[in-house]
């Protein structure tokens, strides 16, 4: 998510790292690069200028703490000010609560409702969803299908046109700990629709009122958040489609100004593509420091300990058999690009081919490896022309597909070996930042 912004920020910090002296000229050059990166991500000009001035002032006036170099101190300042830019952290309580979902039509509200239901279900809570969207054709069918997929209860009545009646019946019907009410998407904030969501808020005695905003709104997100907030006192925002727009930085910074913090961000279409928004972790990942805490949580949620050998993954010594297990394990965790963003890469580039592997291609790779012998899986160096031809015939694959798999294996071996080296340096710096105890 926000790939261009992350790349530009890391490039700016790389230039700083290459300086022999951290003086006024170096700081001013860094500030200009940061300004360019943030403006390209649609962050408000006024916010960018304020942040730039603060970074410049602190970098030139503050003395680095004992044991921290001037370069590390400037990096720490950039990190802290970017965290401040995107706003405070919103804690998500795990207990009995009712959540009222609001948002413009087309913002991804219904899919997000299912994602949040899955989030609470994974935390061990009983979850129920009420479909109060009486306007959009197929709304109940969509949310019911998604709820069935994540195994949570769903209540609705596609024949009823009064959302208030549906919600009243749903509250009586569902006895779950977490109730999520998916309301009608608004094209604009018409008086009638505003009154409906006000009524639903009062009926449900909602614990939270969360607003779903499309990242493509950019700086316009500020106005939408403000108008919804005036109606029902929005206390949390979820930004969707962060993977498909260059305006995500504008949406993040705009919402932070409203005082309603960002609760989750969505960066994909599947029910797994939702992350609790921790400003520290978010900025850490943008700067290439990774987020080992989030990675550990994702591993714990998605896979069993025996599914994957982390030491083998990072040692660069793993075999095709190891890669087979890892492909299956990583596939459970989500897109490899997202997983790798949680590792502290220390500014190191990961080959595009290592991250742009679709689930379909992963499945083809597994089929091909199923046609290999134990010797070939444990010692890929024995794979010669005749073996490749036999494997291709057995898997119903082309010779090119088998060679592509072998090439991918070699690239992954090199990539993870490099990650092992880059990890230590960034962990040392992150300890100085207070990210690790």
């Amino acid at each position: 998510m926000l790939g261009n912004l992350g790349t530009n920020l890391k490039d700016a910090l790389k230039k700083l790292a290459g300086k022999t002296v951290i003086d006024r000229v170096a700081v001013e050059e860094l500030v200009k690069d940061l300004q360019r990166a943030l403006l390209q991500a649609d962050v408000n000009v006024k916010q960018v200028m304020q942040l730039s001035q603060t970074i410049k002032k602190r970098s030139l006036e503050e003395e680095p703490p004992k044991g921290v170099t001037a370069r590390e101190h400037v990096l720490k300042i950039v990190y802290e000010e970017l965290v401040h830019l995107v706003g405070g952290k919103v804690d998500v309580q795990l207990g009995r609560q009712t959540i009222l979902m609001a948002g413009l039509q087309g913002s991804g509200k219904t899919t997000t409702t299912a994602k949040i239901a899955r989030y609470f279900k994974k935390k061990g809570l009983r979850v129920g969803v009420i479909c109060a969207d009486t306007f959009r054709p197929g709304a109940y069918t969509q949310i019911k299908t998604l709820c069935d997929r994540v195994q949570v209860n769903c209540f609705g009545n596609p024949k009823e046109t009064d959302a208030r009646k549906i919600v009243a019946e749903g509250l009586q019907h569902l006895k779950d700990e977490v109730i999520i009410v998916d309301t009608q998407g608004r094209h604009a904030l018409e008086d009638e629709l505003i009154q409906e969501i006000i009524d639903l808020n009062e009926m449900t005695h909602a614990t939270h009122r969360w607003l779903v905003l499309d990242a493509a709104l950019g700086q316009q997100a500020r106005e939408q958040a403000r108008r919804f907030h005036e109606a029902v006192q929005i206390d949390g925002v979820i930004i969707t489609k962060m993977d498909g727009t260059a305006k995500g930085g504008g949406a993040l910074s705009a919402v932070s100004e409203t005082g309603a913090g960002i609760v989750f961000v969505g960066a994909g279409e599947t029910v797994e593509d939702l992350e609790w928004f921790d400003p520290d972790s978010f900025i850490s990942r943008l700067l290439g420091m990774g987020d080992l805490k989030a990675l550990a949580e994702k591993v714990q949620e998605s896979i069993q300990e025996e599914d994957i050998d982390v030491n083998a993954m990072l040692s660069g010594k793993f075999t095709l058999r190891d890669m087979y297990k890892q492909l299956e394990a990583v596939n459970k965790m989500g897109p490899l690009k997202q997983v790798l963003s949680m590792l502290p890469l220390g500014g190191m580039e990961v080959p595009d081919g290592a991250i742009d592997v679709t689930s379909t291609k992963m499945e083809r790779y597994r089929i091909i490896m199923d046609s290999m012998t134990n010797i070939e899986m444990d010692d890929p160096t024995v794979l010669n022309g005749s073996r490749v031809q036999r494997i291709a015939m057995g898997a119903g694959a082309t010779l090119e597909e088998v060679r592509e798999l072998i090439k991918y294996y070699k690239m992954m071996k090199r990539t993870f070996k490099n990650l092992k080296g880059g990890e230590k340096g960034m962990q040392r710096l992150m300890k100085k930042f207070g990210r690790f105890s």
Side-chain angles (χ1 to χ4, degrees):
M1 74 183 63
L2 288 179
N4 288 340
L5 175 58
T7 299
N8 292 337
L9 290 174
K10 283 180 279 190
D11 287 345
L13 297 178
K14 279 182 191 176
K15 288 174 65 176
L16 180 73
K19 302 288 185 183
T20 55
V21 178
I22 307 301
D23 55 10
R24 178 176 291 273
V25 174
V27 170
E28 288 179 347
E29 185 178 352
L30 170 67
V31 166
K32 286 181 181 178
D33 289 338
L34 293 175
Q35 288 176 347
R36 190 178 303 112
L38 293 168
L39 290 173
Q40 287 177 355
D42 199 40
V43 178
N44 181 271
V45 175
K46 181 180 177 181
Q47 288 178 297
V48 172
M49 297 312 296
Q50 289 175 340
L51 177 133
S52 318
Q53 290 170 8
T54 303
I55 290 175
K56 183 177 178 181
K57 180 179 174 64
R58 289 186 61 191
S59 298
L60 295 175
E61 295 181 2
E62 289 183 10
E63 286 292 326
K66 186 178 179 179
V68 176
T69 67
R71 184 178 293 105
E72 290 171 344
H73 185 52
V74 172
L75 177 55
K76 182 176 187 289
I77 289 169
V78 172
Y79 169 81
E80 290 173 347
E81 294 304 324
L82 286 173
V83 169
H84 179 72
L85 175 70
V86 297
K89 179 164 58 177
V90 179
D91 290 325
V92 178
Q93 300 299 319
L94 300 179
R96 187 172 294 278
Q97 58 192 295
T98 302
I99 301 167
L100 187 69
M101 303 291 288
L104 300 178
Q105 192 166 17
S107 62
K109 182 172 51 57
T110 297
T111 303
T112 300
T113 297
K115 291 179 178 182
I116 294 171
R118 176 186 179 275
Y119 173 87
F120 283 110
K121 177 73 181 297
K122 285 285 185 179
K123 298 296 183 180
L125 297 170
R126 298 192 313 277
V127 186
V129 171
I130 299 175
C131 176
D133 185 349
T134 60
F135 177 77
R136 185 169 59 88
Y140 174 72
T141 301
Q142 180 189 4
I143 190 63
K144 180 67 166 63
T145 301
L146 291 171
C147 285
D148 288 347
R149 190 176 303 167
V150 298
Q151 298 180 315
V152 302
N153 297 320
C154 180
F155 180 88
N157 182 357
K159 296 180 181 179
E160 177 58 66
T161 59
D162 189 339
R164 298 167 185 82
K165 289 184 179 180
I166 294 174
V167 171
E169 292 176 12
L171 292 173
Q172 291 292 323
H173 180 79
L174 296 175
K175 305 300 180 184
D176 301 288
E177 296 168 292
V178 179
I179 303 294
I180 308 173
V181 181
D182 182 24
T183 66
Q184 178 178 324
R186 275 82 181 146
H187 275 298
L189 299 184
E190 302 97 337
D191 291 342
E192 182 180 343
L193 293 177
I194 281 296
Q195 188 57 54
E196 178 184 280
I197 201 167
I198 290 173
D199 292 345
L200 294 179
N201 182 41
E202 292 176 353
M203 284 177 58
T204 58
H205 301 290
T207 316
H208 297 293
R209 295 149 300 280
W210 288 348
L211 175 63
V212 180
L213 290 171
D214 187 332
L217 282 173
Q219 296 177 40
Q220 296 177 31
R222 179 187 292 105
E223 178 62 14
Q224 295 297 336
R226 183 187 65 79
R227 294 170 73 188
F228 273 103
H229 183 64
E230 289 174 351
V232 291
Q233 296 296 298
I234 295 295
D235 66 341
V237 175
I238 300 145
I239 300 182
T240 63
K241 308 176 187 178
M242 286 286 286
D243 55 331
T245 178
K247 293 187 175 184
L252 286 169
S253 59
V255 170
S256 71
E257 281 200 340
T258 67
I262 300 165
V263 189
F264 295 101
V265 291
E269 296 181 357
T270 70
V271 290
E272 293 84 11
D273 296 323
L274 184 78
E275 292 185 35
W276 174 60
F277 185 77
D278 181 340
D280 291 277
S281 296
F282 182 81
I283 296 302
S284 180
R285 289 162 64 178
L286 273 185
L287 298 181
M289 297 175 184
D291 185 2
L292 297 181
K293 180 181 178 183
L295 179 59
E297 290 176 352
K298 184 173 279 289
V299 170
Q300 186 176 26
E301 175 186 304
S302 305
I303 63 179
Q304 301 299 316
E305 186 175 350
E306 63 271 14
D307 287 343
I308 188 166
D309 185 345
V310 177
N311 290 327
M313 177 179 275
L314 293 176
S315 70
K317 299 177 182 178
F318 64 91
T319 65
L320 275 167
R321 188 183 303 282
D322 295 322
M323 190 176 83
Y324 186 97
K325 292 179 181 179
Q326 289 158 11
L327 284 177
E328 290 187 321
V330 172
N331 194 40
K332 295 178 185 176
M333 292 167 63
L336 186 57
K337 187 172 186 177
Q338 185 183 88
V339 174
L340 287 178
S341 75
M342 298 177 188
L343 284 169
L345 306 182
M348 183 178 47
E349 296 299 325
V350 177
D352 289 340
I355 57 180
D356 294 332
V357 180
T358 64
S359 57
T360 301
K361 183 165 286 190
M362 280 188 175
E363 181 59 30
R364 288 294 297 156
Y365 285 170
R366 286 196 291 269
I367 291 172
I368 292 171
M369 284 188 279
D370 282 338
S371 292
M372 294 182 180
T373 66
N374 289 333
I375 293 175
E376 291 162 348
M377 289 290 285
D378 292 328
D379 183 11
T381 61
V382 304
L383 291 172
N384 55 24
S386 61
R387 286 177 182 268
V388 167
Q389 188 170 18
R390 190 206 78 245
I391 292 166
M393 291 181 61
T398 65
L399 292 175
E400 184 58 35
E401 284 180 310
V402 180
R403 293 190 185 107
E404 183 185 272
L405 164 63
I406 297 170
K407 182 179 178 182
Y408 177 75
Y409 159 74
K410 291 177 179 178
M411 179 173 60
M412 291 298 290
K413 183 177 180 179
R414 289 194 304 269
T415 298
F416 286 121
K417 187 174 183 179
N418 289 338
L419 290 180
K420 179 75 171 179
E423 182 180 2
K424 293 180 181 177
M426 288 311 295
Q427 283 196 12
R428 179 181 64 83
L429 183 59
M430 290 167 76
K431 284 180 180 178
K432 293 186 178 182
F433 280 21
R435 295 273 291 126
F436 292 138
S437 56

